[in-house]
Amino acid sequence: MAGNAGEYRLSLRVSQGEISFDYIFTLRVLSEEIPPVTGGKSAYITKVLDFMPAAGQFTNQLPLYEAGDTQEIMNEKVLKAIGNNQRSMISLGGFGGYVVVGFDHTIENVPGKRDFRVLGNAFDAADNPDPDAPQGGSCEPGVIRVAYDANKNGVPDEDGWYEIAGSAHEDPTQEWWYEKAKKAGNDVNTWFDYEITYYRPEKEPESAEEWETYIRWEDNQGNAGYKVKNQHHTQSYYPLWAGGQITFQGTCLPQNGIDESGTGEYYALYRFRYGYADNEVNTREESAIDIDWAVDRKGEKIHLPGVDFIKIYTGVNQENGRLGECSTEIAGIEDLHILGIEIDTRK
């Protein structure tokens, strides 16, 4: 990998017999290599800069909102839950809900290796009615953004964020469950520059009949719908420290939840191949992320020497029967290099 800052034009030639194609793409390198971590730095989250979940069944519960809590107090509660290897849990709610965290050092981008792991609560289905189903069960992928503190001002700059390009960023048709989801009527597109607005309900539902039309949302694709309430979680699903409406932007991934029962009783949320949070069992290699998967807003590769800040947001907009909305859950982040964990990147 180039060590000097600058912009590089790379060419890839693919050929078969007399037919060949040339692919030209740009790689930007922001800075030279960072010094190695010394002095007993923590492998875990040490600060929470922002937290705003979208509407969801665990919003105001993970972490617990109490009357009068401000944004700063909620940030502190998130740090207490997932910082410093506490491994409790927070929920980001429906599409777009996010958390922004930082560390006491720069997580190094080691060539050929994965650099950090986002801990979630993804698990495989135990009783899927489809015996030939692909891997997954409760995979609620969160899109990951990373920032390097190039100017050393201690905060992520708005133009300094880069997105980890996971498998559906590259080609959603290659997901193992793609045709299955398409047949089920799911939206299987990856929508870049997606935007959704949630509206605070005037009151909480007073009957089961009102659950289906609980929290209204509209997106920039001409769609609208509701986040549904269920009998298992009776608190408000709208973040109570927020205003009358909340708008989120980002990359919306294909809907990976499929009703395997045909009656709405059993949804399986299938795993994307790689590159997302809360998408794979924490002990497996595909839960780990390579900083070199980062791309800019044009989708072009960017080489970062490391990252100081990570943002995670729920990447799917979907209701899944009795399971409720797809909502990314986060339990922490690990610097794999400080922990001495070596995982090769994808070839």
Side-chain angles (χ1 to χ4, degrees):
M1 180 58 66
N4 296 322
E7 188 168 284
Y8 299 84
R9 299 283 289 178
L10 303 180
S11 175
L12 171 66
R13 171 164 291 185
V14 179
S15 60
Q16 182 175 9
E18 298 181 354
I19 302 174
S20 66
F21 297 92
D22 290 322
Y23 298 89
I24 308 297
F25 58 96
T26 301
L27 172 67
R28 286 197 297 152
V29 178
L30 287 192
S31 178
E32 297 184 0
E33 294 181 0
I34 61 173
V37 175
T38 59
K41 297 297 185 179
S42 172
Y44 310 105
I45 296 167
T46 59
K47 64 188 78 170
V48 172
L49 288 78
D50 197 9
F51 169 64
M52 182 54 65
Q57 61 188 310
F58 297 105
T59 298
N60 300 312
Q61 283 191 331
L62 296 174
L64 179 65
Y65 170 85
E66 298 173 288
D69 282 352
T70 62
Q71 182 66 64
E72 291 71 23
I73 292 174
M74 294 305 296
N75 291 351
E76 291 172 2
K77 288 185 174 183
V78 171
L79 180 60
K80 185 176 181 180
I82 67 172
N84 304 298
N85 202 29
Q86 291 301 302
R87 298 196 180 214
S88 188
M89 192 77 64
I90 65 166
S91 178
L92 304 183
F95 176 85
Y98 66 84
V99 65
V100 181
V101 303
F103 309 86
D104 63 3
H105 68 286
T106 302
I107 298 177
E108 185 181 0
N109 182 0
V110 175
K113 301 296 181 181
R114 309 200 193 200
D115 304 296
F116 64 89
R117 171 183 279 129
V118 181
L119 304 175
N121 66 343
F123 58 87
D124 293 337
D127 301 303
N128 196 323
D130 180 1
D132 300 318
Q135 186 180 355
S138 182
C139 300
E140 301 176 281
V143 178
I144 301 168
R145 288 182 177 168
V146 295
Y148 172 60
D149 193 8
N151 59 11
K152 307 304 179 185
N153 66 353
V155 294
D157 298 314
E158 187 59 35
D159 61 353
W161 286 108
Y162 300 94
E163 194 152 286
I164 296 296
S167 55
H169 281 65
E170 302 289 347
D171 185 0
T173 68
Q174 297 303 305
E175 304 298 345
W176 297 289
W177 43 266
Y178 177 84
E179 291 298 333
K180 190 179 181 72
K182 186 176 180 180
K183 184 177 180 181
N186 289 11
D187 183 346
V188 293
N189 296 294
T190 298
W191 297 102
F192 301 99
D193 298 319
Y194 184 77
E195 181 174 297
I196 190 171
T197 299
Y198 300 91
Y199 298 93
R200 187 171 188 150
E202 295 182 0
K203 62 181 182 65
E204 291 297 307
E206 297 177 353
S207 65
E209 288 72 23
E210 297 178 342
W211 292 353
E212 299 293 324
T213 56
Y214 178 31
I215 296 178
R216 180 171 172 78
W217 60 265
E218 297 175 350
D219 68 16
N220 62 347
Q221 302 299 317
N223 303 310
Y226 294 92
K227 288 302 171 189
V228 179
K229 197 158 193 173
N230 62 54
Q231 62 183 331
H232 306 293
H233 304 278
T234 59
Q235 87 291 347
S236 174
Y237 289 12
Y238 189 93
L240 292 175
W241 65 100
Q245 65 184 61
I246 321 172
T247 299
F248 300 98
Q249 299 89 17
T251 300
C252 190
L253 304 176
Q255 294 176 334
N256 63 326
I258 298 174
D259 178 10
E260 294 291 3
S261 65
T263 63
E265 295 295 308
Y266 190 99
Y267 270 78
L269 280 62
Y270 290 112
R271 181 171 71 85
F272 289 76
R273 287 179 295 134
Y274 65 91
Y276 304 107
D278 198 19
N279 177 62
E280 176 61 284
V281 176
N282 292 330
T283 55
R284 295 176 183 161
E285 290 190 352
E286 291 301 351
S287 65
I289 304 297
D290 185 350
I291 295 171
D292 271 337
W293 297 342
V295 297
D296 65 15
R297 293 181 180 180
K298 296 180 181 180
E300 296 179 339
K301 291 286 187 180
I302 179 92
H303 175 71
L304 300 168
V307 298
D308 297 279
F309 311 102
I310 295 176
K311 176 179 181 178
I312 304 164
Y313 64 90
T314 299
V316 175
N317 183 27
Q318 185 178 14
E319 296 290 317
N320 300 289
R322 295 198 304 177
L323 294 181
E325 82 290 335
C326 180
S327 55
T328 301
E329 274 79 55
I330 302 299
I333 297 176
E334 301 175 334
D335 181 332
L336 297 178
H337 308 314
I338 287 184
L339 295 176
I341 299 173
E342 289 197 9
I343 301 176
D344 291 337
T345 194
R346 294 180 65 89
K347 303 300 184 185

